[in-house]
Amino acid sequence: MDEKLETGWLFAFYGPLLTERQQKLIALYCEEDFSLSEIAAREGISRQGVHDSLARAEAALLAMEEKTGCVARARRQAKALQTIEQAARSLPDTEAARIILAAV
């Protein structure tokens, strides 16, 4: 998976546990799709400083995922739900099937 996308997933779950500065830099990088140079210019720090701060924040996010596994669990649940939805759509067109599909 794309590293930036993976960081975005981790940030969605664990972002509030980072410092405000780390949150801001990760948001600019992942959500706003700023380059390291653009973030550096905006924040008044060096490109290397942005890189180092992002690396520390990403390491913290990965450590949180290793301890809790919330992102992996959410992915498994999403995959299971997709399987359930596909199975429900393959049911014959009956009133019971329509009720099941309405619940999904």
Side-chain angles (χ1 to χ4, degrees):
M1 182 179 289
D2 180 322
E3 184 178 328
K4 192 181 263 192
L5 183 60
E6 179 67 18
T7 300
W9 265 92
L10 294 170
F11 181 61
F13 278 80
Y14 307 114
L17 302 175
L18 297 174
T19 66
E20 285 184 34
R21 180 135 179 102
Q22 288 173 326
Q23 288 178 41
K24 184 176 187 176
L25 294 177
I26 292 275
L28 289 171
Y29 183 67
C30 292
E31 295 173 359
E32 302 295 327
D33 202 29
F34 280 37
S35 69
L36 299 181
S37 298
E38 290 170 327
I39 296 170
R42 179 180 174 142
E43 297 300 308
I45 58 177
S46 69
R47 184 187 179 285
Q48 186 63 45
V50 172
H51 178 271
D52 293 346
S53 294
L54 286 173
R56 282 191 297 277
E58 289 169 355
L61 293 171
L62 286 169
M64 289 178 233
E65 174 60 14
E66 287 175 11
K67 290 176 183 171
T68 66
C70 290
V71 173
R73 186 172 36 257
R75 287 185 174 140
R76 286 191 308 270
Q77 289 172 339
K79 187 175 181 178
L81 181 57
Q82 185 178 34
T83 301
I84 292 167
E85 287 176 348
Q86 288 172 349
R89 292 188 196 297
S90 69
L91 292 172
D93 189 21
T94 64
E95 181 62 28
R98 285 189 288 278
I99 291 169
I100 292 170
L101 284 171
V104 176

